[in-house]
């Protein structure tokens, strides 16, 4: 696996502007996905939780300890149900991807970009030298 990663890094670094990998990575869609990638990362897991809550309702912890699974079949059933309800069904994956993308675009546009502009230092337009007394 390490060799595959090293080959990929080598391919990225030895590529010129005519290379297919370069053209793929500087595509406007890829650049935009890179721009909103942190928003997607922060948003996707809570959305999985909301989807599971909508589908399964509240999922309380089992009444028995996880260590008691071997001794009691009822405990085993409780834990199986609890763990199964924490998983998102496969048919929800496209819904999750679309909702995550839309929410990430909104968060990036109306929260991240304004905060980035607000926190960025203002450029001084006058060319006068700053003196410290």
């Amino acid at each position: 696996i390490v060799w595959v990663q090293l080959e990929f890094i080598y391919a990225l670094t030895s590529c010129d502007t005519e290379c297919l990998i370069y053209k793929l990575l500087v595509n406007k869609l890829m650049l935009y996905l890179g721009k909103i990638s942190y928003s997607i990362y922060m948003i996707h897991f809570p959305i999985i939780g909301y989807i599971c809550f909508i589908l399964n309702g509240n999922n309380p912890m089992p009444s028995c300890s996880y260590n008691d699974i071997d001794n009691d079949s009822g405990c085993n059933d409780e834990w199986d149900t609890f763990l199964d309800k924490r998983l998102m069904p496969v048919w929800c994956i496209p819904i999750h991807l679309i909702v995550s993308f839309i929410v990430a675009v909104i968060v990036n546009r109306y929260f991240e970009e304004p905060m980035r502009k607000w926190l960025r230092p203002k450029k001084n337009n006058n060319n006068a030298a700053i003196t410290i007394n």
Side-chain angles (χ1 to χ4, degrees), residues 48-118:
I48 290 174
Y50 291 135
I51 289 173
C52 290
F53 180 76
I54 290 169
L55 294 176
N56 301 320
N58 191 14
N59 190 15
M61 288 286 292
S63 59
C64 56
S65 172
Y66 190 74
N67 298 330
D68 297 334
I69 287 179
D70 295 334
N71 302 336
D72 185 12
S73 64
C75 183
N76 193 13
D77 293 340
E78 282 186 53
W79 274 99
D80 285 344
T81 304
F82 172 74
L83 295 174
D84 286 344
K85 285 185 176 183
R86 292 181 63 203
L87 300 175
M88 183 174 64
V90 174
W91 61 267
C92 288
I93 292 174
I95 296 168
H96 166 249
L97 292 175
I98 292 168
V99 171
S100 294
F101 182 78
I102 291 170
V103 173
V105 167
I106 293 169
V107 166
N108 185 60
R109 170 91 166 112
Y110 294 107
F111 181 74
E112 281 188 39
E113 286 181 8
M115 290 302 290
R116 194 176 303 122
K117 289 177 184 175
W118 184 68

Side-chain angles (χ1 to χ4, degrees), residues 22-38:
Y22 177 81
K23 289 179 181 179
L24 185 78
L25 292 177
V26 297
N27 182 335
K28 289 186 180 200
L29 176 64
M30 295 300 282
L31 292 174
Y32 188 71
L33 286 175
K35 183 178 176 183
I36 66 168
S37 64
Y38 187 71

